[in-house]
Amino acid sequence: MSASKAPGGLRAELAALRERATDGPRLPEGQAADAAAVLAYFDPFALPGLAETGPDDPTFGDIMALAEPVSDPPGFWTLHLSARRALLARMEGRAAVQAALDTVEHLPEVAAQMGFALIVEGPEAVHAALNGPSLKRVAGLNLARSWVDGVKALEDGLPSAAEIEEALTSLRRRAPLRDLVGEHFTGRDQVLTAMRAHMAENAPAQMLFIYGPGGVGKSTVLAKFALEVEEGQGADAVAYLNLDRPLLRPGEPLTLLQDLITQLADQFQQEAKFLEEVADRVAATAERFDLAFKTGSSLEAMSTAGFWEAMIGEAAESISALPGDGPILVLIDTFEQAQRLGPAIVEQMWQMFRLLAEAQPRLRIIAAGRVEEEIGTLSAVSLEAFERTDVARVLESTLGETVPEQIVEDVLDASEGHPLTVRLAAISVKNLGIGAFLDPKTRAEELARLRDERRDALLYGRILRQIGDPKVAELAVPGLVMRRITAEAIERVLAEPCGLDLGPGDAEDLFERMQREVDLVTLDLRDPNAPALVHRPEVRAMMLADLRRDRKDQARAIDEKAAAYFATQPGPFARAEYIYHLLFLGAEPETLDALWTPDLAPFLATAAEEVPPRGAAWLARRIGLDLAPPLAEAIEQDEHEETVRQMAERRIGRGQLKGALDLLQKLETRMPGSALWSLETQLLSRLGRADEALDRAARGIDALRASGHRTELADLLLHRSLVREGLRRFARASEDAAEALEISEGTGDAEMQLRAIAALLRLNRKSPKTAGPDPKALRSMSVPLLDKIGPTLLDRNAALARELAAELGDQHLQLLELVARQPVSPVPLQSTDAGAAIGTALLDRVAEAVKGDFAGLVDVDAKRAVSTLQQRLPDVLNLARDRNALKEVSEPVRMLLAAEVDQRVGAFPSPTMLARTTGLKLQY
């Protein structure tokens, strides 16, 4: 904004200008007027053409006579709507309007300006915005649409103001759902499939209930399904009822019914007024019930008799009157808010929705909560934590690239698959970068922080935040140390370590309050001596390990007090808990043996998953559990792997590929630099199980990257490159080979470099787009490397020698002669159409190169001529040398070897690429 006039002086001067205007405001002319017409607001001293002259220019007074100040931002002005329309109508179409916009250096960054830009762009852009996800763009269109009413050049082809308003209402309704789903929703196919089936079923009264622990993603999957149905037009309407909203009171289900009708009014514009009247009547009825409850008046309660069912019936009738015959989806989220209030409230809610569904078959009702509901009209589906593939997809979606398997596994382990925490981890990896996250020290620090965030995000953020009583909240986490919480245990065990100062009756009160937290605990009545609260298994599984690690002192204090308490209590339940806490306190086996009786086994069977290893071993002996091998066995893992490798290779040598693979796959634990990944990848590929080979290679590559074993990593990358090449994924294969080349250059491994060079040259023959250096550079790189390793090593590695001869034989004739001497049975080219065609064409080239026939070595007309040529390469090369044609024959012989390698890999070049690289124009 120009500083030439103070705001107070400007206003006074503008008032004087208006007073001097005797004939009323004129429609101003010129560039400044056009600019004012296309701006949501403007600085009058900065309009094009007026920046220098200001109020001295007559146009200034004409514009300001048609303007009014805006409150935000202060000091700026906007044209009256009628003046704006008149000025826009005077311009000659969208091009002139755009030209006016182009004269302004800085456009206001507000929604209306954005919407006007879409209108100027044209109807196609406007309709695209209406069908898109941006609430801000449509809100801007809604504001700017009135600017062009009656402006034919701009208005033609645009949706009506009512259509834009309807789209805006729809987007506002979807905005919370989009926020829940975010940008990287993945997985949950099983639950989504169940929801889709529910939408299609013929018994809508059979409601669907989705349950799972806090933070597992119930709200997200509901929101995802709502958007899927609405955007895919799978329903005539979608209503989303979130019981976290204060206006929705589970204790009075009619508040949910009112919100349902109101949401339908937003989606059925023609029936909106009628539906809003119904919603008002539902609200009035709910208020009467609320009044009856608050006053405790039996008279008021009697006066409402029958209203409830009648109101539900009227709401069902109003839904019946809506146009269309498709389903209407009703989603109820955060159902645990109702469950906390007790079974009577839950039953009342289900009764209302059951009555609605029976009266209106179009309704499809899906609810989600933390605790499974067992009601006959419900079909329940459990929402489990993310699996490894889900975690991988979230990480890859967030980072935009493939994530090493080690990171996926570590994030899965640290998060235990809870979606909220997986997303925290994804953000952490993205911020740090994959390279930094692969550093063991950095990864350990980040995963430790992630565990803390998981505790806070999943328990505090989703459970404790909803506990009304602060004392109950203080008990919730430390109480996990105890498996059974009684009112007496709260007073004698938990109070002091939790910092609670309890008075008479407080423990019983806290017990009752905690009992209401159904997503945390259930009431266990099995012990007749002491009813107890038991933490839900999923909560213990999620939280206990973190708690005991992060709050060691507090946990130990609780264990000590719990052991002392249960030692004085009668019965097997108390004795089992006494032993449980002694196991954490490190009691000697002799002490534990003295307490043991066989009847305790059922009470302690699950404890082995929680107690320290020493205690778990003692329980295993007493109960007969199987434990995983001790970690100490990992010391001998390298010897174990070497033995398995040798056994597998002996089986491979005898052609027992399946037996060799079985041996490898029994050894699930691998050393950081294990060579078994490569061996297993090769075996799977040779057995025709390419997808499995790629999976195992990916896991091995991630492990080797993380461990820093670069030579083994390069080897495995080259084996994966071969698998991908066989699948004709040439570009991806070249990426692996190029990385292997880079690694081997760093390690100075000449043999590995040559393997990578051979692979890249071969892939260059098959694809115009490959990674790594170009073929000319690769050939140059090979010269010193071949000199370095010498013929002795190549003679021992026949496969590598053949690959190099196939790509470099015309440049290094000694490679052709070396391969010709090696006792290797060539792959019969005649067994495939491509091989036969290439082989036959090369047979003719060889014959031409040696200037005639093969002196009886090969009959070019014989059926097995190509096979004979392959087998008699030494003789052919000798013949070519005798006839001074060795250089000429080297090229077709090299190409013949290349065809052999291609057939062994399982992927020939396309005919087009073959013609481009060899000049052979064949069809196969």
Side-chain angles (χ1 to χ4, degrees):
M1 176 176 175
S2 172
S4 61
K5 296 285 184 181
L10 173 62
R11 292 181 185 277
E13 190 163 355
L14 290 173
L17 286 170
R18 285 197 176 93
E19 288 176 2
R20 292 197 299 268
T22 58
D23 298 330
R26 297 179 303 168
L27 196 63
E29 300 281 347
Q31 190 181 45
D34 289 347
V38 300
L39 294 174
Y41 56 78
F42 56 86
D43 173 3
F45 293 98
L47 287 171
L50 296 182
E52 299 298 330
T53 59
D56 296 331
D57 191 320
T59 304
F60 184 95
D62 292 339
I63 292 174
M64 299 312 295
L66 301 172
E68 61 184 359
V70 296
S71 58
D72 185 23
F76 284 77
W77 296 71
T78 185
L79 287 181
H80 294 304
L81 187 57
S82 59
R84 185 191 299 278
R85 290 171 177 168
L87 286 168
L88 290 174
R90 191 179 65 186
M91 298 182 197
E92 296 179 357
R94 288 190 166 83
V97 176
Q98 184 60 55
L101 284 167
D102 292 340
T103 65
V104 181
E105 186 175 353
H106 298 293
L107 295 174
E109 296 181 355
V110 293
Q113 196 71 53
M114 180 191 299
F116 184 67
L118 290 168
I119 291 173
V120 175
E121 188 176 348
E124 186 175 341
V126 171
H127 285 286
L130 288 188
N131 294 322
S134 174
L135 179 61
K136 184 176 181 180
R137 285 162 69 89
V138 178
L141 278 171
N142 192 51
L143 293 170
R145 179 63 176 82
S146 63
W147 295 9
V148 298
D149 281 349
V151 184
K152 185 174 176 57
L154 294 177
E155 191 177 26
D156 282 355
L158 293 183
S160 67
E163 290 174 304
I164 295 176
E165 179 68 35
E166 185 177 351
L168 180 60
T169 300
S170 176
L171 277 174
R172 282 174 175 159
R173 187 178 64 253
R174 298 181 195 178
L177 303 178
R178 291 190 184 281
D179 291 341
L180 274 172
V181 174
E183 297 294 328
H184 305 297
F185 182 93
T186 56
R188 300 311 193 194
D189 292 338
Q190 181 180 358
V191 176
L192 288 170
T193 298
M195 296 167 85
R196 294 175 191 128
H198 180 69
M199 287 290 290
E201 69 182 8
N202 295 320
Q206 181 72 22
M207 293 172 280
L208 180 66
F209 189 80
I210 297 167
Y211 67 95
V216 80
K218 299 181 295 298
S219 297
T220 304
V221 79
L222 284 186
K224 172 65 176 177
F225 187 65
L227 293 173
E228 173 187 307
V229 168
E230 190 161 354
E231 294 172 355
Q233 298 181 340
D236 288 344
V238 176
Y240 177 75
L241 310 175
N242 189 343
L243 301 192
D244 267 339
R245 291 173 55 202
L247 292 177
L248 302 185
R249 305 193 307 276
E252 181 39 77
L254 289 182
T255 59
L256 279 70
L257 183 60
Q258 177 193 355
D259 197 58
L260 167 60
I261 300 299
T262 300
Q263 291 189 41
L264 293 179
D266 289 339
Q267 298 172 68
F268 292 93
Q269 292 293 313
Q270 298 298 319
E271 293 75 23
K273 185 177 180 181
F274 162 66
L275 290 171
E276 287 167 0
E277 291 173 353
V278 174
D280 288 343
R281 288 196 292 276
V282 173
T285 304
E287 288 175 5
R288 294 193 69 177
F289 280 112
D290 193 41
L291 178 62
F293 174 78
K294 288 179 179 177
T295 61
S297 168
S298 58
L299 181 62
E300 182 65 25
M302 288 176 63
S303 70
T304 60
F307 280 18
W308 202 70
E309 288 83 354
M311 198 66 258
I312 295 170
E314 183 180 346
E317 288 180 11
S318 70
I319 296 172
S320 299
L322 297 176
D325 56 4
I328 293 173
L329 176 62
V330 180
L331 298 168
I332 309 168
D333 198 7
T334 328
F335 195 78
E336 57 270 16
Q337 295 286 23
Q339 293 170 321
R340 285 193 177 96
L341 299 176
I345 297 298
V346 171
E347 174 54 33
Q348 190 178 28
M349 280 190 61
W350 286 134
Q351 182 187 7
M352 183 187 78
F353 284 111
R354 187 163 54 241
L355 290 172
L356 272 176
E358 290 172 352
Q360 181 38 257
R362 293 176 69 183
L363 292 179
R364 300 293 186 275
I365 300 170
I366 302 176
R370 292 177 182 165
V371 183
E372 182 178 4
E373 286 288 330
E374 297 180 354
I375 299 176
T377 54
L378 287 178
S379 175
V381 177
S382 173
L383 187 65
E384 303 294 340
F386 272 174
E387 298 176 350
R388 191 197 65 80
T389 53
D390 298 315
V391 173
R393 283 195 294 269
V394 170
L395 289 168
E396 291 174 10
S397 297
T398 303
L399 274 70
E401 61 181 298
T402 301
V403 178
E405 188 69 22
Q406 184 62 51
I407 291 180
V408 176
E409 295 296 335
D410 286 345
V411 169
L412 178 61
D413 178 66
S415 68
E416 297 186 8
H418 290 278
L420 185 61
T421 316
V422 173
R423 286 176 174 80
L424 287 173
I427 293 170
S428 175
V429 177
K430 184 176 182 178
N431 291 339
L432 280 173
I434 289 180
F437 206 84
L438 285 171
D439 176 74
K441 181 179 178 182
T442 302
R443 187 165 66 253
E445 292 172 351
E446 285 299 307
L447 291 175
R449 185 177 63 81
L450 177 63
R451 290 187 179 95
D452 289 339
E453 289 184 350
R454 175 166 65 83
R455 179 196 63 205
D456 294 338
L458 293 178
L459 195 60
Y460 288 105
R462 291 300 192 96
I463 298 174
L464 294 185
R465 187 169 57 214
Q466 299 179 27
I467 298 175
D469 190 292
K471 290 185 177 180
V472 174
E474 291 175 19
L475 283 174
V477 175
L480 283 162
V481 173
M482 297 187 70
R483 299 198 310 166
R484 298 179 64 79
I485 301 174
T486 63
E488 189 176 12
I490 290 175
E491 181 177 3
R492 294 179 55 182
V493 178
L494 291 173
E496 183 178 337
C498 294
L500 296 177
D501 185 12
L502 302 182
D506 285 350
E508 288 77 10
D509 180 61
L510 281 173
F511 182 88
E512 292 176 5
R513 290 176 180 272
M514 194 171 184
Q515 183 181 341
R516 296 173 191 164
E517 303 302 322
V518 294
D519 49 344
L520 271 178
V521 297
T522 57
L523 183 63
D524 187 348
L525 300 175
R526 291 178 301 163
D527 183 2
N529 296 312
L533 296 177
V534 178
H535 278 86
R536 300 190 66 83
E538 64 271 22
V539 175
R540 289 187 69 80
M542 178 174 65
M543 293 299 303
L544 184 60
D546 291 344
L547 170 67
R548 285 193 170 276
R549 182 185 58 251
D550 300 336
R551 303 189 186 185
K552 292 180 181 178
D553 293 340
Q554 187 182 37
R556 184 169 184 86
I558 294 173
D559 283 325
E560 290 172 348
K561 284 186 167 293
Y565 169 71
F566 284 116
T568 65
Q569 302 302 303
F573 283 90
R575 195 162 69 255
E577 298 312 298
Y578 180 33
I579 291 174
Y580 174 81
H581 290 284
L582 287 177
L583 289 170
F584 279 100
L585 293 170
E588 294 298 325
E590 295 77 13
T591 302
L592 299 170
D593 288 339
L595 296 169
W596 179 258
T597 56
D599 61 331
L600 297 178
F603 304 118
L604 289 166
T606 60
E609 301 172 1
E610 298 178 356
V611 299
R614 187 183 183 198
W618 179 84
L619 278 175
R621 291 194 303 272
R622 283 297 184 182
I623 302 175
L625 299 174
D626 289 332
L627 286 184
L631 294 177
E633 286 189 8
I635 297 172
E636 302 177 356
Q637 182 72 15
D638 54 344
E639 296 179 3
H640 191 186
E641 285 195 13
E642 179 59 19
T643 302
V644 169
R645 184 189 64 78
Q646 292 177 3
M647 293 171 63
E649 288 183 346
R650 284 197 293 270
R651 283 166 172 74
I652 293 170
R654 295 194 296 269
Q656 300 173 349
L657 303 185
K658 182 64 170 59
L661 182 63
D662 290 342
L663 268 179
L664 295 178
Q665 293 188 334
K666 287 178 181 177
L667 191 64
E668 296 181 358
T669 303
R670 301 284 167 88
M671 291 289 293
S674 177
L676 299 185
W677 296 112
S678 287
L679 189 57
E680 188 175 0
T681 298
Q682 294 176 68
L683 280 168
L684 286 166
S685 179
R686 288 178 64 179
L687 287 167
R689 294 155 64 176
D691 288 341
E692 291 178 70
L694 288 176
D695 179 68
R696 297 304 288 176
R699 292 184 61 182
I701 286 169
D702 290 342
L704 294 169
R705 283 194 209 282
S707 64
H709 286 73
R710 296 173 61 76
T711 299
E712 292 79 5
L713 174 59
D715 180 66
L716 184 50
L717 283 166
L718 288 172
H719 285 302
R720 185 170 72 174
S721 176
L722 277 172
V723 179
R724 285 175 163 169
E725 184 180 351
L727 294 171
R728 304 193 69 80
R729 302 173 188 172
F730 301 135
R732 297 297 305 277
S734 72
E735 293 171 5
D736 285 339
E739 185 179 356
L741 176 59
E742 182 180 354
I743 292 171
S744 56
E745 287 176 326
T747 60
D749 189 330
E751 182 179 359
M752 194 75 72
Q753 289 179 69
L754 286 170
R755 287 176 58 192
I757 288 170
L760 287 170
L761 287 169
R762 185 171 63 252
L763 290 163
N764 266 294
R765 293 192 286 103
K766 301 178 182 182
S767 173
K769 296 181 180 179
T770 52
D774 62 43
K776 184 177 180 180
L778 291 169
R779 286 172 172 266
S780 297
M781 292 169 62
S782 70
V783 176
L785 294 170
L786 286 168
D787 291 338
K788 181 178 180 180
I789 65 173
T792 303
L793 188 149
L794 285 176
D795 198 38
R796 292 199 306 266
N797 192 337
L800 175 58
R802 218 165 186 85
E803 286 185 63
L804 290 169
E807 308 304 330
L808 302 169
D810 55 338
Q811 180 181 346
H812 301 280
L813 296 180
Q814 69 272 24
L815 284 172
L816 294 180
E817 294 179 333
L818 175 65
V819 167
R821 293 197 308 268
Q822 288 175 333
V824 176
S825 299
V827 176
L829 290 175
Q830 298 287 62
S831 62
T832 63
D833 292 341
I838 295 171
T840 300
L842 293 175
L843 181 69
D844 293 337
R845 285 197 178 186
V846 171
E848 182 181 350
V850 295
K851 302 176 176 63
D853 61 32
F854 288 94
L857 295 177
V858 178
D859 183 352
V860 294
D861 296 322
K863 281 185 177 183
R864 298 179 55 82
V866 174
S867 177
T868 305
L869 172 62
Q870 291 178 264
Q871 293 171 356
R872 304 196 68 173
L873 274 185
D875 298 328
V876 171
L877 291 174
N878 287 333
L879 177 64
R881 185 180 291 105
D882 291 344
R883 297 184 177 181
N884 293 319
L886 189 57
K887 186 173 181 180
E888 291 80 359
V889 86
S890 66
E891 177 62 12
V893 168
R894 179 195 69 76
M895 291 164 58
L896 186 74
L897 291 172
E900 283 187 30
V901 174
D902 290 343
Q903 184 151 307
R904 193 183 298 273
V905 172
F908 285 95
S910 67
T912 301
M913 284 300 298
L914 183 72
R916 182 182 300 176
T917 57
T918 68
L920 293 175
K921 297 181 179 179
L922 306 173
Q923 295 297 323
Y924 49 81

